Amino acid sequence: MGNDAGRQDRARAGSKRDGALQPAGGGEVEPVLVQDPELPPTAVDEADLAPRWTPAKVILWVAIALLGGLAWTMLALVRGETVNAIWFVFAAVCTYLIAYRFYSKLIERKLLRPDDRRAAPAEYLANGKDFVPTDRRVLYGHHFAAIAGAGPLVGPVLAAQMGYLPGTIWIIIGVILAGAVQDYLVLFFSMRRGGRSLGQMARDELGVIGGTAAIIATLAIMVIIVAILALVVVNALGESPWGVFSVSMTIPIALFMGVYLRFIRPGKITEISIIGFVLLMFAIVAGGWVAETEWGAAAFTLDRTVIAVGIIVYGFVAAILPVWLLLAPRDYLSTFMKIGTIVMLAGAIVLVRPEITVPAFSEFAGGDAGPVVSGSLFPFLFVTIACGALSGFHALIASGTTPKLIEKERQTRFIGYGGMLMESFVAIMALVAALSIDRGIYFAMNSSAAATGGTVEGAVAFVNSLGLAGVNLTPDVLTQTAANVGEESIVSRTGGAPTLALGLAHIMQQLIGGTSLMSFWYHFAIMFEALFILTAVDAGTRVARFMLQDTFGNIIPKFRDPDWRVGAWICTAVMVAAWGAILIMGVTDPLGGINTLFPLFGIANQLLAAIALAVCMAIVAKRGNFRWLWIVAVPLAFTAVVTITASMFKIFSPVPAVGYWAQNAAFREALAAGEDSFGNAPTRAAMEAVVRNTTVQGVLSILFVTLAIIVIFFAILHTVRSFRSGGGPSSEDPALPSRRYAPSGLIATKAEKALEREWSTVDADKRPARSGH
């Protein structure tokens, strides 16, 4: 090779370039990595990574900052009777851009210091199954599809009860300082440790007691998370033949896509994605045709309990099927659908410019007895809006499949921090969609059937009794809205998904098609949400099975063998039975399953985030990087205070609408007194269900908060020890030199493109392989 001498010089320079020998934190020194002299450099030179500010760039970022500042001013300070929805889009996008460009760069340079000369686990543990170097753009799609479940759709819709401003601030500011930080740190630290899970990292960093508490908490919380995800699907599809048919069709479509990619046209991702998209559009349209037929209405109008059983069976089957057959093709398609739909909705908002009539702070922001979710703004806003701002579930993905597929260390910023920003944008669009519809319709849809009676007349009477300013709901409004979206009823369609679908349909019909296309847009949104949620149900069940196999493996080593199908089936059955039981409990809850369970879901999810941040804090402390420890300590402190406070409210509050045990006691006393109905429970059977459900929820609340406090205590203990000793022993895998190169972001920089061209001259037999999917 003619450039050998030059490459050897660059390799030597690269091994000594600025930062290579400096401490990663305060006491940890990066090793000198000797690169193969026959290959081009595996990392862009440090000098080329430094930002080059030009007048055009300065003007651009000043313009972004000014536009974002104007948008926040219009939302937070200039409060007329209405606020235009475009300001939500501008405030979010401008803030995300600034945070990604500056704050995530600060974390990269000061806290993590990634080194692309160092091989990632996907390279040094490559086995073609779990560890596969994957193109960063494809991996971004995989990661986003896995983390983006029901949370960013449901939480903001429920929290719209409190007004538009609290949710907007938490979603945007929360993701920048907490959610994206957690995802980025967990992904990076897991990658540095060979792709270890959060529980394994906790055990390594916090010892046996702290690690065991983290493992138990992770498994228990996963059960709640998957159950709530499934419950959202049930509530979206209940008594909706159109939705049941269309969503059911996604399963054979995904199976066909898997077979197509595996056997018919291997590697043709774009091709099969287009085919799958066309088939999905046809499934939506065909759903309308089927629902209008007598046989279709009879066959696909299903009771919610029947749908729940179907999802339980589906969850078991999907978790034991090969990844390539169902989960992988759904990831491909759902990522296109998710990002495409959200961008389409944002564009429609900018063009249509809908006016929001919801106040910045509503009548229910300060009280305990909201008709949608109970509890005051603090702390319950921060656990109701979970996944859009901060999500512990993401930590399981960021320490699960994604770190085993990362090609280069510097890509963790794009995938970890950038992926979470996209999910936050999903949450903002969900919030705007919920805010855009009539307030009376919003409360009629999201109040429980026990409150509305499940009828139009009952919903009208209940909503008008709330005393909302400017709201005078009529039966005609509800019946006409239901007819416009092709549904028999929209009353008490709790869970957030139907409300988001109606909001999207309301905005899109103003841009394309008018009222005649509202039913298409509504069911398109239901399909979009089902892809979101079922992907998370699939992935969550599979990840939970892996975690349970590892746990059982401590007693029976055979369970750790991934090829032992009996063990896989047993662990899958155990986890599906656990979340399936919670799902059935939610479906049969007379007080509205999602309204009752979502606070527990939010608290559990945020407690898991606190656990993840606590583990990250201990790792940062052991690296000796105490000057920048606040980056993880501040979101940990806030999350711990919020979620522990919320847990205390749910456990000890004397208000039955808030506290599980207070509600349990009230209903037990009513049963003992011989009452046949009490509160929102119309029968003794419903009253008994409330007692049973609140007992389960109360016990779980105590378990979750206790385990989280244990983990946080040990994390603080180890952090203090590291501070006193100036650092601690590292549990990272030994550094190995990389033999491959890839750009770090979505679009390669000038220096990265130049290095890519140099790698393109390497002989094909020496060029490392990369997975396209």
Side-chain angles (χ1 to χ4, degrees):
M1 300 178 66
N3 294 327
D4 281 355
R7 285 176 180 158
Q8 290 181 40
D9 291 340
R10 281 194 298 273
R12 286 190 291 270
S15 66
K16 299 177 182 178
R17 65 171 57 109
D18 187 25
L21 298 178
Q22 300 207 6
E28 194 174 288
V29 178
E30 290 290 339
V32 176
L33 299 172
V34 180
Q35 187 184 322
D36 187 337
E38 295 188 355
L39 294 174
T42 57
V44 172
D45 194 276
E46 287 286 335
D48 293 325
L49 295 176
R52 292 181 174 85
W53 289 100
T54 63
K57 285 185 178 180
V58 172
I59 292 172
L60 174 63
W61 285 106
V62 168
I64 291 173
L66 290 175
L67 179 58
L70 174 62
W72 278 111
T73 300
M74 297 301 295
L75 291 175
L77 302 178
V78 183
R79 299 182 195 161
E81 293 185 0
T82 63
V83 61
N84 199 287
I86 63 170
W87 300 120
F88 292 89
V89 177
F90 292 152
V93 172
C94 293
T95 308
Y96 295 152
L97 290 173
I98 292 172
Y100 184 75
R101 172 58 185 82
F102 297 100
Y103 192 57
S104 71
K105 269 291 185 182
L106 175 73
I107 296 172
E108 180 184 63
R109 292 174 178 173
K110 303 297 185 180
L111 199 62
L112 300 182
R113 299 184 65 86
D115 185 355
D116 274 358
R117 297 172 300 112
R118 182 171 179 155
E123 181 178 354
Y124 66 81
L125 295 176
N127 60 8
K129 296 178 181 178
D130 299 321
F131 294 87
V132 183
T134 303
D135 184 279
R136 68 197 184 282
R137 293 157 294 196
V138 175
L139 184 55
Y140 183 93
H142 272 293
H143 183 74
F144 177 73
I147 66 172
L153 306 178
V154 178
V157 172
L158 300 181
Q161 166 189 276
M162 300 179 183
Y164 72 77
L165 190 57
T168 300
I169 293 175
W170 170 234
I171 290 170
I172 298 177
I173 304 303
V175 74
I176 291 169
L177 299 178
V181 173
Q182 175 211 247
D183 291 17
Y184 184 15
L185 295 183
V186 171
L187 178 58
F188 183 85
F189 290 144
S190 176
M191 176 206 63
R192 277 284 178 98
R193 288 157 177 77
R196 288 175 217 165
S197 69
L198 179 63
Q200 288 174 313
M201 288 196 292
R203 190 176 177 87
D204 292 339
E205 306 299 331
L206 308 182
V208 175
I209 298 177
T212 301
I215 291 172
I216 296 173
T218 302
L219 282 170
I221 291 172
M222 177 65 84
V223 169
I224 295 296
I225 290 174
V226 177
I228 297 297
L229 296 177
L231 182 57
V232 174
V233 179
V234 172
N235 286 344
L237 301 182
E239 294 84 44
S240 174
W242 189 334
V244 170
F245 175 85
S246 298
V247 172
S248 297
M249 288 301 296
T250 65
I251 297 174
I253 290 172
L255 292 172
F256 168 73
M257 292 172 64
V259 172
Y260 191 96
L261 267 180
R262 183 79 170 186
F263 301 112
I264 301 175
R265 298 273 287 173
K268 301 296 182 180
I269 300 172
T270 304
E271 185 178 300
I272 191 55
S273 296
I274 294 173
I275 294 173
F277 178 78
V278 172
L279 290 175
L280 275 183
M281 294 302 99
F282 178 75
I284 297 173
V285 176
W289 301 337
V290 171
E292 291 175 357
T293 66
E294 185 175 341
W295 68 268
F300 293 100
T301 302
L302 303 178
D303 181 77
R304 299 188 186 197
T305 305
V306 174
I307 298 173
V309 173
I311 290 178
I312 292 170
V313 173
Y314 164 79
F316 176 80
V317 174
I320 62 175
L321 285 177
V323 173
W324 61 265
L325 184 56
L326 183 59
L327 301 192
R330 175 163 280 152
D331 277 357
Y332 302 144
L333 190 57
S334 62
T335 298
F336 288 120
M337 286 283 289
K338 291 170 186 177
I339 297 178
T341 300
I342 292 303
V343 171
M344 176 187 71
L345 178 58
I349 289 171
V350 172
L351 295 175
V352 173
R353 301 178 68 228
E355 293 290 332
I356 304 299
T357 60
V358 177
F361 294 89
S362 79
E363 302 88 339
F364 306 107
D368 287 330
V372 179
V373 288
S374 300
S376 57
L377 191 153
F378 182 87
F380 289 103
L381 171 78
F382 305 98
V383 296
T384 300
I385 300 180
C387 299
L390 172 66
S391 173
F393 177 73
H394 296 185
L396 304 182
I397 304 300
S399 62
T401 56
T402 308
K404 300 176 178 65
L405 304 174
I406 286 275
E407 195 172 12
K408 302 294 290 184
E409 286 198 349
R410 290 182 61 238
Q411 293 174 353
T412 52
R413 172 174 165 261
F414 166 57
I415 294 168
Y417 200 96
M420 183 55 191
L421 291 183
M422 177 56 72
E423 175 159 342
S424 180
F425 191 50
V426 171
I428 282 292
M429 292 299 97
L431 178 64
V432 172
L435 296 170
S436 69
I437 66 175
D438 178 83
R439 290 192 80 198
I441 295 176
Y442 167 82
F443 283 105
M445 294 184 72
N446 289 283
S447 299
S448 70
T452 65
T455 65
V456 170
E457 293 75 16
V460 169
F462 175 75
V463 172
N464 289 336
S465 72
L466 296 175
L468 301 172
V471 173
N472 184 23
L473 190 62
T474 64
D476 289 343
V477 171
L478 291 179
T479 54
Q480 185 58 53
T481 302
N484 288 344
V485 297
E487 293 290 310
E488 291 187 8
S489 174
I490 58 170
V491 173
S492 295
R493 298 297 299 278
T494 57
T499 303
L500 174 57
L502 179 61
L504 184 145
H506 173 70
I507 293 171
M508 292 305 302
Q509 63 89 16
Q510 298 178 60
L511 185 67
I512 303 173
T515 306
S516 62
L517 272 187
M518 275 196 74
S519 60
F520 170 81
W521 288 118
Y522 178 87
H523 289 92
F524 172 84
I526 290 293
M527 173 79 76
F528 152 74
E529 294 171 292
L531 281 173
F532 250 102
I533 298 162
L534 288 178
T535 298
V537 171
D538 296 342
T541 303
R542 190 175 289 264
V543 170
R545 185 245 289 177
F546 292 152
M547 292 160 50
L548 192 60
Q549 283 182 281
D550 285 341
T551 302
F552 285 173
N554 292 323
I555 304 171
I556 306 174
K558 182 71 173 176
F559 274 96
R560 289 183 175 174
D561 181 1
D563 296 324
W564 188 42
R565 303 312 302 164
V566 174
W569 283 45
I570 291 174
C571 291
T572 301
V574 170
M575 296 309 299
V576 170
W579 66 255
I582 301 295
L583 171 61
I584 296 297
M585 183 185 75
V587 171
T588 57
D589 185 348
L591 299 184
I594 197 71
N595 305 65
T596 305
L597 282 174
F598 202 83
L600 179 61
F601 162 82
I603 291 171
N605 195 41
Q606 304 306 71
L607 285 173
L608 184 56
I611 289 172
L613 288 168
V615 173
C616 289
M617 182 178 71
I619 293 174
V620 172
K622 286 187 177 182
R623 288 162 65 92
N625 202 340
F626 301 105
R627 180 182 177 185
W628 301 100
L629 191 65
W630 63 267
I631 292 174
V632 62
V634 169
L636 168 60
F638 180 80
T639 304
V641 169
V642 165
T643 50
I644 293 174
T645 302
S647 298
M648 295 302 106
F649 271 108
K650 300 305 288 186
I651 296 169
F652 295 111
S653 174
V655 180
V658 177
Y660 287 130
W661 296 112
Q663 191 177 100
N664 181 279
F667 275 82
R668 279 192 291 106
E669 290 172 5
L671 284 169
E675 300 286 347
D676 293 326
S677 64
F678 184 77
N680 291 333
T683 65
R684 287 188 66 85
M687 295 166 65
E688 292 168 353
V690 172
V691 172
R692 181 177 62 252
N693 294 350
T694 50
T695 300
V696 173
Q697 292 154 357
V699 170
L700 289 176
S701 292
I702 295 172
L703 174 66
F704 293 159
V705 73
T706 301
L707 292 172
I709 290 173
I710 291 172
V711 174
I712 294 171
F713 170 78
F714 277 94
I716 294 173
L717 181 63
H718 282 268
T719 299
V720 172
R721 288 176 179 173
S722 296
F723 179 77
R724 290 174 175 173
S725 60
S730 173
S731 59
E732 293 182 359
D733 283 4
L736 298 173
S738 178
R739 294 178 53 84
R740 63 189 310 117
Y741 172 72
S744 60
L746 178 63
I747 301 173
T749 64
K750 184 177 179 181
E752 289 175 333
K753 288 178 180 178
L755 193 49
E756 277 191 302
R757 286 193 295 270
E758 190 168 349
W759 273 89
S760 67
T761 65
V762 176
D763 294 341
D765 60 334
K766 294 184 178 180
R767 201 177 307 156
R770 173 191 293 164
S771 172
H773 73 309

